[in-house]
Amino acid sequence: MTAPKPLVVVGDVLLDEDIEGVATRLAPDAPAPVVDVTQDRTHPGGAGLAAALAARGGREVILVTALGDDAASEAVRRQLRGRVRLVEIPLTGSLPVKTRVLAGGRPLVRIDRGGGVPGEPDGAVREALTQAHAVLVADYGRHTASAVRQHLAAVAPRTPLVWDPHPKGAEPVPGARLVTPNAAEARGLCPSPECGASGGSRSDSLRAHAERGAALAERWQAAGVAVTLGDRGVLLARPGDGTPMLIPPPYQATGDPCGAGDCFAAATATALADGALPEEALQRAVAEAAAFVSEGGAGNPALWRTTPALPATGGRGSDPLALAEQVRARGGTVVATGGCFDLLHAGHVGLLDSARNIGDCLIVCVNSDASVARLKGPGRPLNPVADRARVLQALGSVDAVAVFDEDTPEQVLARLRPDVWVKGGDYSVQDLPEAESLRAWGGQAVVLPYLDGRSTTVLARRAARAAAR
């Protein structure tokens, strides 16, 4: 598998602070809850969060943003170091800080402070944008997009550009591949009379959202507008097209939605960088946003580990590394298995069902396209890794999928540290190079019975013979 294509994120970085605690009483001088603080953490928000999310799978990400000499800017630099490459625009003033106070996981109040004015971009900004396979504009109304607008307009005709707008921000440059407002932003940017969403259309009906999206796409000269609708998914509208596409989430996610829009926009842009069609990119982004919310949103500490998390593949809501740690923390058994899974057949399904019954979660380690080609030879894989992972994720036995690029999954196993490693009956434990690795942390490799006569190679030969008749 070739390296992920580079992505440039342009936009306003914030410093997000979450003060968490417990509220069991009211203040004596006012009917306000008293919060006993248990945890206080900060992380980059806005374009900084979007860039960090885009870089989770090892992708090269360049973040073009305005930073100053204040403490908040230094905190952002420190936390993004090693994750993304910064191309800075000078900031006059201080970086905005957004503080949430939460009790029992629920926000009580938000406090915003700080703010500055971006300066002029230099040649490094133009150079970064010319290298991009896709561009994401994460506009938070703090004028970074306006400062870089001329350069963005120059690359939009030839580079996929996703624009995540803000009511106080600049309009997208003409030629954007996708613009991603949420429902409230779309209503504010395009009032009903202007967009034709009156005449009997309720403001929150799919028809109203579609009319607004199409009108905005025409006004902005964008190829499409994807209006995010929370737990209803995303509605893709195009200029002059009366039939929108609705992309529902793969499951109803419950969790902290803070940062879900950044995750959605980042996933859309990264998919376009890899050559996906807009519809395919949005499907992937909806799944990744649902997983992001289920894992705790922007407040999930696993997002900001020193070692980036294993690339999640958008399954039923589980990042593989985070899932393994959660199951271990509650005393459960982590089971993992691996393979190419090029053409999923009855032997695979039986193995996965049996493996899942051994423990409390099943993580499937899948060979990348390059890894399959080295192991199986020319013409393989028959299906790209994104398709193979998606089919696996649809199985009720599979809780998460991790893709690895090496010939064996030893590196990914060293990070997952499963309690049990499972292979089919055409192996013996002595033949498994992973068995020795498992012993290092007390894990056990086992072999499960396998249905004879079922293999991808047999299926492919049978299909080739049938086609030749």
Side-chain angles (χ1 to χ4, degrees), residues 153-421:
V155 300
R158 63 178 184 273
T159 304
L161 186 147
V162 177
W163 195 293
D164 193 13
H166 190 278
K168 296 181 180 179
E171 285 202 346
V173 295
R177 187 71 56 87
L178 286 169
V179 185
T180 60
N182 62 35
E185 290 167 343
R187 276 194 293 268
L189 291 163
C190 196
S192 295
E194 176 187 347
C195 293
S198 55
S201 295
R202 299 192 321 275
S203 66
D204 197 41
S205 68
L206 290 180
R207 176 181 170 186
H209 292 306
E211 290 171 349
R212 274 190 291 267
L216 287 170
E218 192 163 342
R219 183 210 293 176
W220 292 331
Q221 300 177 52
V225 168
V227 183
T228 58
L229 305 176
D231 58 10
R232 286 196 285 176
V234 173
L235 193 72
L236 173 61
R238 296 182 175 85
D241 185 357
T243 307
M245 173 179 285
L246 179 64
I247 303 167
Y251 55 91
Q252 293 301 312
T254 57
D256 188 351
C258 182
D262 297 305
C263 178
F264 173 80
T268 301
T270 56
L272 291 177
D274 292 338
L277 296 172
E279 296 85 353
E280 295 171 327
L282 292 174
Q283 283 184 302
R284 188 188 306 181
V286 169
E288 291 198 21
F292 177 81
V293 171
S294 295
E295 292 159 12
N300 177 10
L303 293 177
W304 305 105
R305 298 181 191 280
T306 303
T307 303
L310 292 172
T313 49
R316 297 199 313 270
S318 293
D319 172 278
L321 183 59
L323 174 65
E325 292 185 349
Q326 290 164 8
V327 171
R328 271 195 298 271
R330 61 175 184 260
T333 299
V334 178
V335 182
T337 189
C340 301
F341 298 98
D342 200 359
L343 287 178
L344 200 67
H345 52 71
H348 291 140
V349 174
L351 173 70
L352 295 172
D353 285 344
S354 298
R356 181 60 179 84
N357 290 333
I358 293 174
D360 299 286
C361 74
L362 175 62
I363 299 171
V364 181
C365 303
V366 179
N367 296 73
S368 71
D369 292 343
S371 178
V372 175
R374 290 193 301 269
L375 294 172
K376 301 294 185 180
R380 299 286 297 273
L382 301 172
N383 288 308
V385 69
D387 290 358
R388 291 184 278 130
R390 185 174 179 184
V391 171
L392 286 166
Q393 289 156 1
L395 299 177
S397 56
V398 177
D399 296 288
V401 174
V403 178
F404 64 94
D405 203 34
E406 300 76 30
D407 291 342
T408 69
E410 289 180 81
Q411 292 186 28
V412 72
L413 288 177
R415 296 174 65 189
L416 289 170
R417 299 172 69 87
D419 302 292
V420 182
W421 172 247

Side-chain angles (χ1 to χ4, degrees), residues 128-142:
L129 287 168
T130 59
Q131 299 172 5
H133 281 250
V135 176
L136 168 61
V137 179
D139 189 356
Y140 271 74
R142 302 283 180 162

